[in-house]
Amino acid sequence: MPLAVYVLGLSVFALGTSEFMIAGLLQPIARDMSVTIPQAGLLVSAFAIGMVVGAPVLAGATLRLPRRTTLVSLLAVFGAGQVAGALAPTYEVLFASRVVSALACAGFWAVGAAVAVSLAPAGAKAKAMAVMIGGLSVANVLGVPAGALLGQHAGWRAAFWAVALLAAVAVAGVLALVPSTRPATGADRPVLRRELRIYRDGQVWLALVITALNAAATFCLFSYLSPLLTDTAGLGEGWVPTVLALYGVGALIGAALGGRVGDAHLFGAMYAGLAATTAVLALLALTAHLPVAAVGLALGLGVTSFFTAPAINARMFEVAGAAPTLAGATTTSAFNIGNTLGPWIGGLVITAGWGYTGVSWVSALLAAAAVGATVAASRWHRRTAASRVVAGSPADTAVGGPAPVTEAAG
């Protein structure tokens, strides 16, 4: 795997730390801003909303711009958003800073994913995406727990300043190690209208649904993991960074395994990961009052949810291969649609008085729905592959992906 792919993964570490660290800062932010825990949880949704909107818009707007320049510019805007969050005098300003940071983060994800896939060796798309997603995993192992520790000992604003510093380091890394490339010219130049044609394919929309459901299932629970640990499992707030770190360790393991399995058995990885996520969330709902079970299942949730992610991302690039930039943008938007809905649904469950175990049950239902959507996607894929074999159309086969992927998926 080229070094530049790992640099992009390390840049994602800064982005992921900002996106997920709110889960470990809910209580101090709620106290400081005089808002409820569900309102503080909406800061996760605020970031996700910015990602949903920003990914396709910025992917289209930067389609013909130099890739490295685009990545550096987006990281700079992201860093400025972190500074604004650190200085925010009110909840509304903090909310707005999260949206601005997310817009830049979304653009980086969309462009960075397309660059990573383009640099990856043949047959290693899932592994390239696993490296990118690994940046999120490391963020959960190191960044999110560190943010929680900073929030407890130096105030939650210190966590935002730390991420701003990480963004500056990421800018230096991209400038130094990501190759300077320009989009193709002539007949091969990227054309937005042509790339938009991928949205005529129902398989693209089904891949979007699977991605969104997986993210919603994970972050419906993860966004409220901190109060679940303290209020339901009875752990002290000092345990929160440790458990978040364990979740991150699980995510790192899951992404590494999922990248390897996903390239060889695309749908198999999706089935296994989503079914395991459903089981973990249901078990957590049943045993959340037991501290040992809550801690162990938090680790398990990290493994299962991130095991699925590389295959889900690779599936989107498979069905939307004719438009790699928009494929990355669509995946980012889908992920964050789920990341928006998940905390919102979890907040509704809490407000309704069902408690944090109720959040876990709803999360399990969302994961089960993702399994059902994967069944539909697999059947559609097989029908499409069979029709291409019968028709004997090389052109169609090229658009849908190479034959080995079909065999692996089967």
Side-chain angles (χ1 to χ4, degrees):
M1 194 67 63
L3 181 60
V5 176
Y6 291 98
V7 171
L8 293 171
L10 289 174
S11 299
V12 168
F13 168 73
L15 308 180
T17 297
S18 177
E19 182 169 8
F20 301 130
M21 70 181 183
I22 295 296
L25 300 172
L26 284 182
Q27 287 100 326
I29 289 177
R31 287 193 295 264
D32 188 40
M33 293 291 182
S34 300
V35 297
T36 66
I37 290 292
Q39 284 177 312
L42 286 177
L43 293 171
V44 179
S45 295
F47 200 97
I49 289 169
M51 294 281 282
V52 170
V53 175
V57 171
L58 288 171
T62 63
L63 197 59
R64 298 188 184 181
L65 297 179
R67 304 289 86 185
R68 188 174 67 179
T69 301
T70 301
L71 293 173
V72 169
S73 300
L74 292 169
L75 281 173
V77 174
F78 169 80
Q82 299 306 296
V83 172
L87 298 173
T90 65
Y91 173 80
E92 290 75 18
V93 174
L94 178 59
F95 192 97
S97 75
R98 296 289 289 170
V99 175
V100 171
S101 296
L103 289 171
C105 181
F108 185 94
W109 257 108
V111 177
V115 171
V117 168
S118 70
L119 294 173
K125 289 183 179 180
K127 288 181 182 178
M129 292 310 304
V131 172
M132 293 280 288
I133 294 165
L136 291 182
S137 305
V138 176
N140 281 289
V141 174
L142 299 177
V144 174
L149 282 173
L150 280 173
Q152 291 174 7
H153 298 289
W156 62 268
R157 296 176 189 273
F160 281 78
W161 284 115
V163 174
L165 179 60
L166 287 174
V169 173
V171 167
V174 171
L175 282 172
L177 296 169
V178 173
S180 179
T181 59
R182 290 183 175 274
T185 59
D188 294 330
R189 75 185 189 282
V191 178
L192 182 59
R193 183 181 300 176
R194 185 167 60 222
E195 292 216 359
L196 286 171
R197 292 174 186 168
I198 64 170
Y199 296 120
R200 298 177 184 175
D201 187 348
Q203 293 189 81
V204 170
W205 290 100
L206 190 52
L208 186 152
V209 168
I210 295 169
T211 304
L213 284 172
N214 179 57
T218 300
F219 292 103
C220 181
L221 187 282
F222 181 79
S223 299
Y224 300 99
L225 181 59
S226 175
L228 180 144
L229 293 170
T230 56
D231 295 0
T232 304
L235 295 169
E237 281 194 26
W239 273 92
V240 172
T242 301
V243 178
L244 291 175
L246 285 175
Y247 174 89
V249 169
L252 191 60
I253 294 170
L257 292 176
R260 293 181 178 275
V261 176
D263 277 320
H265 306 284
L266 187 65
F267 281 107
M270 292 167 66
Y271 280 130
L274 291 169
T277 296
T278 304
V280 166
L281 289 166
L283 284 172
L284 185 59
L286 293 170
T287 62
H289 62 285
L290 302 173
V292 173
V295 171
L297 290 169
L299 170 66
L301 180 62
V303 174
T304 61
S305 59
F306 277 78
F307 177 89
T308 313
I312 288 177
N313 278 267
R315 174 60 180 164
M316 183 65 79
F317 277 95
E318 179 184 83
V319 296
T325 303
L326 283 186
T330 301
T331 303
T332 301
S333 291
F335 175 83
N336 285 283
I337 287 170
N339 202 4
T340 301
L341 293 176
W344 176 67
I345 293 171
L348 291 178
V349 171
I350 296 167
T351 303
W354 296 352
Y356 298 112
T357 55
V359 174
S360 193
W361 279 121
V362 172
S363 298
L365 289 174
L366 291 168
V371 174
T374 301
V375 172
S378 178
R379 290 179 176 176
W380 194 338
H381 174 83
R382 290 182 180 183
R383 288 197 304 270
T384 303
S387 66
R388 287 172 182 163
V389 170
V390 171
S393 171
D396 286 347
T397 303
V399 171
V405 174
T406 301
E407 294 168 2

